[in-house]
Each structure stands twice: as C-alpha cells, then as structure tokens.
Amino acid sequence: MFCCVESSPYTIYMGKDKYENEDLIKYGWPEDVWFHVDKLSSAHVYLRLYKGQMIDSIPKEVLIDCAQLVKANSIQGSKMNNINVVYTQWSNLKKTGDMDVGQIGFHRQKEVKVIAVETKINEILNRLEKTKNERFPDLAAEKESRDRDEQNERKAQVQEMKRKEKEEIKRRKEMDDLRSYSTLMKSENMSSNQDCGYDSDDFM
C-alpha cells in the first residue's frame, strides 16, 4: 500500500515501510525526485516531475510541501526543529547488494541538494492530508509501460529525423540537377549563337 498526496499540480508518493521504500527505489522513474531527512530515519518521499522538467525548476512551495511531509514521517525528525532534508533525482540513487532493505546511497554526492526545515507547519500538513489516498499500484507494470512509451516516442523521433534527412537529400539533388540543367542550357545557347554567326566574305 502506497500513500499518495497532491501538491498541485504534482503527485507525491510515499512508502509505508522499508519494503515499499525498496519498491519505490527499484521502480522509480527518471522524473522522480527523492526526499529524505538528512542523517535520520524517515519515510522515502518521491515527487514526480513532468517529463523534461529539471530539479532546479521545482516550485519553492512544492519543495516545502515535500520537506514537511518527510519531516512529519520521521520518528526523530518530527520531534525536532531545524533539521535538513536532502533531495536528489531518482537516477542519482545507488543501490548495492550489501545494503539493507530500503537503504540507498548516491552516485554523485554533489547532485544531492538540501532544504532546511525550521519547524513543523500544520497548515501545510493538514492541506496535504486532505488529498491523501492509499493505492496498491503495480509499480513494475507502470515502469514498464512508461519505458515502452518512451521507447516508442524515441523510435518515432528517429523515423521523423530520417524522413527529414531523405527530404533534404532529395531537395539538394533537385537543386543540383536544376543547376546542372541551367548550366547545360546556357552552354547550348552559347554554342547555338556561334553557329548562327555570318561570315563577312559572303557579301563580297
């Protein structure tokens, strides 16, 4: 069972335990951004961005929503003020065979960002709670469908590129043929004019 809340116009996913966190790690999307309380145990929260959207373009109010949600779902963090929440793209999460269930590392530490959270904001948490719903998604099937759609889109883009390349080659050939024809016609006209010339001896 996964918890989903809305931070308009985004959807936020959160695992209920370390096993659901593990599934979110395994079947995350490139568009997902992972949030966690820094150096403390907490829920894993994922913000799903729009395709092509960059992490730096996340609206500030949405970042605050995610940070508040992570803090509220940390046993230690929920009782503390002035904590840090770290976040990074799903693709930057590193999982190795010797890690415990739900545990992750990072491929590139420099791509991990930090947002400071001074205190709990009940107004935000109450708003998010009203949008909360629990789902039983097939994460593997959803990931497979997403990747298949992206693959088909890439194929269509490649086909369109090839079509344009063929059109460009055809256009250039037609231009070359036209230039060759124009040159040939000009050459024939010059020859024709010379053949029609008159010899002055004919009038003597």
Side-chain angles (χ1 to χ4, degrees), residues 22-130:
E22 187 74 13
D23 285 340
L24 287 170
I25 295 168
K26 185 176 182 180
Y27 299 113
W29 293 18
E31 293 81 15
D32 290 344
V33 178
W34 172 89
F35 290 78
H36 196 275
V37 174
D38 191 25
K39 299 175 182 178
L40 296 175
S41 175
S42 78
H44 291 218
V45 167
Y46 288 79
L47 172 68
R48 182 152 295 170
L49 303 183
Y50 294 110
K51 192 170 185 178
Q53 184 179 1
M54 305 302 292
I55 191 171
D56 291 331
S57 68
I58 300 173
K60 182 178 180 180
E61 58 271 20
V62 176
L63 283 176
I64 294 174
D65 283 357
C66 292
Q68 283 289 324
L69 191 60
V70 168
K71 172 179 166 54
N73 287 275
S74 169
I75 295 175
Q76 293 174 276
S78 63
K79 303 172 185 176
M80 299 168 58
N81 291 330
N82 299 311
I83 65 166
N84 287 331
V85 170
V86 293
Y87 63 103
T88 191
Q89 292 281 169
W90 169 80
S91 58
N92 192 36
L93 301 181
K94 180 176 69 174
K95 182 73 179 180
T96 58
D98 59 340
M99 289 180 174
D100 292 335
V101 174
Q103 184 181 7
I104 58 92
F106 306 113
H107 292 292
R108 298 168 295 279
Q109 184 65 41
K110 66 180 182 180
E111 293 183 14
V112 179
K113 300 178 180 295
V114 179
I115 179 172
V117 182
E118 293 183 3
T119 187
K120 179 174 68 174
I121 303 177
N122 287 322
E123 181 183 357
I124 291 177
L125 294 173
N126 290 338
R127 170 171 53 80
L128 293 173
E129 181 68 22
K130 291 178 181 179

